[in-house]
Amino acid sequence: MSTLITTSPIEALDGLEDGSTVLIGGFGMAGMPTALVDALIEQGATDLTVVSNNAGNGDTGLAALLAAGRVRKIMCSFPRQRDSWVFDALYRAGRIELEVIPQGTLAERLRAAGAGIGAFFSPTGVGTPLTAGKETRNIDGREYVLEYPIRGDYALIRAHRADRIGNLLYRKTARNFGPVMATAATTTIVEVAEVVDVGSIDPEHVVTPSIYVDRILDLATHPIGRQP
């Protein structure tokens, strides 16, 4: 199947339904697919489970999606920070569910989904509330907890550049969760600052191969254009 390239954020999100599990890239606002998240608010899907590194910053991006009441549950590593007032208010009011996942475990659970790994044992969080009720095993004298992959119906990520078949190149820290999320979703949608001809990206520099990319939102004419 060929990769869809569009300049319409709404077209890029076609088929995203109520109740979907949506993986949203970004480390804070670095690599946040703002145009796609804004379009998701406009598109109207609700009762979503969102997987991201944190629970939104300020009033834009993921925070705006939360404020719109579209998210039933968020799975993340850092739900509270200086500018997470939207999430804070929703959580205190009992209007959103939260699953806190250590950052390394979050990345590995996503990677495991893309790699076809059924489950894995990790020492992170053993003996803490984060792993309460999970299976544990002693391996070589150390306690480990069983963790399962996180799979998404959709991944919304941001890359710096894509070629016309979907090979992706990221920009510095904006790379963060994008590569593992791209492999862990049934449908991967990426917004990019630039779409180039096939062969314009050195194969040695491709981070996410085109096989994982389903749709590309070309931001060349979008107001946020070439922001990192």
Side-chain angles (χ1 to χ4, degrees), residues 98-112:
L98 170 66
E99 181 179 344
V100 177
I101 306 170
Q103 192 175 70
T105 302
L106 176 62
E108 184 63 9
R109 289 179 67 183
L110 291 164
R111 192 197 70 82

Side-chain angles (χ1 to χ4, degrees), residues 124-209:
T124 305
V126 170
T128 74
L130 295 181
T131 60
K134 295 185 177 183
E135 179 182 341
T136 60
R137 181 176 298 182
N138 187 291
I139 302 174
D140 291 333
R142 188 175 187 184
E143 289 296 315
Y144 290 79
V145 63
L146 184 65
E147 299 284 1
Y148 290 93
I150 297 175
R151 298 180 177 87
D153 299 304
Y154 290 84
L156 309 184
I157 62 175
R158 181 178 172 93
H160 178 59
R161 184 176 292 129
D163 68 19
R164 297 191 179 279
I165 62 172
N167 294 305
L168 302 183
L169 173 68
Y170 300 83
R171 187 175 186 272
K172 300 181 179 179
T173 57
R175 177 170 172 169
N176 53 71
F177 282 90
V180 288
M181 287 184 171
T183 70
T186 301
T187 301
T188 294
I189 309 169
V190 53
E191 63 178 59
V192 298
E194 182 180 20
V195 177
V196 299
D197 290 334
V198 176
S200 297
I201 303 175
D202 186 330
E204 295 295 329
H205 296 162
V206 170
V207 179
T208 297

